[in-house]
C-alpha cells in the first residue's frame, strides 16, 4: 500500500546505473513467458547485487538471485463477435 510506495519512491535513484547489460539464458512458456537472464559480465553482477541489497533494505522484502523478464499470458481470448468480448 502507501507504506511500500513511500519506501520504494527512490528505487531508480538507488541504482549506480540505470543500464544493466544482460545475456539471455533461456526461454520458457507455461502460464507466462519467462526469459531467463544473467549479467553480461562480473561487474554487472556486482552492480546489480549492490543495487538489489540497497533497494530491498529500504523496501523491506527479500529477493532471489535469479534474473528474468516475464509477462503473464493468462488473458481470456474470445472471438470478436462473442457477447462477452469487450474493448
Amino acid at each position: 500500500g502507501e507504506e511500500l510506495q513511500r519506501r520504494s519512491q527512490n528505487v531508480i535513484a538507488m541504482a549506480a546505473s540505470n543500464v544493466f547489460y544482460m545475456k539471455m539464458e533461456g526461454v520458457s512458456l507455461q502460464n507466462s513467458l519467462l526469459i531467463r537472464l544473467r549479467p553480461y559480465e562480473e561487474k554487472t553482477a556486482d552492480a546489480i547485487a549492490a543495487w538489489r541489497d540497497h533497494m530491498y533494505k529500504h523496501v523491506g522484502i527479500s529477493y532471489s538471485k535469479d534474473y528474468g523478464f516475464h509477462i503473464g499470458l493468462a488473458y481470456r481470448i474470445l472471438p470478436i463477435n462473442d457477447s462477452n468480448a469487450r474493448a
Side-chain angles (χ1 to χ4, degrees), residues 56-75:
Y56 289 114
K57 283 178 189 171
H58 284 78
V59 175
I61 58 176
S62 61
Y63 63 94
S64 77
K65 298 288 183 184
D66 297 328
Y67 308 97
F69 169 82
H70 62 88
I71 184 169
L73 301 173
Y75 302 103

Side-chain angles (χ1 to χ4, degrees), residues 13-47:
M14 293 176 196
S17 167
N18 62 357
V19 177
F20 295 122
Y21 292 99
M22 308 293 277
K23 294 181 194 179
M24 187 175 78
E25 195 168 66
V27 176
S28 64
L29 180 60
Q30 292 177 6
N31 291 332
S32 66
L33 170 66
L34 172 64
I35 300 172
R36 289 183 309 281
L37 303 167
R38 65 183 165 130
Y40 188 75
E41 55 191 359
E42 194 62 33
K43 71 179 184 177
T44 300
D46 293 343

Side-chain angles (χ1 to χ4, degrees), residues 4 7-9 11 14 54-61:
L4 180 59
R7 289 172 25 197
S8 61
Q9 275 180 325
V11 167
M14 293 176 196
H54 185 73
M55 181 183 70
Y56 289 114
K57 283 178 189 171
H58 284 78
V59 175
I61 58 176

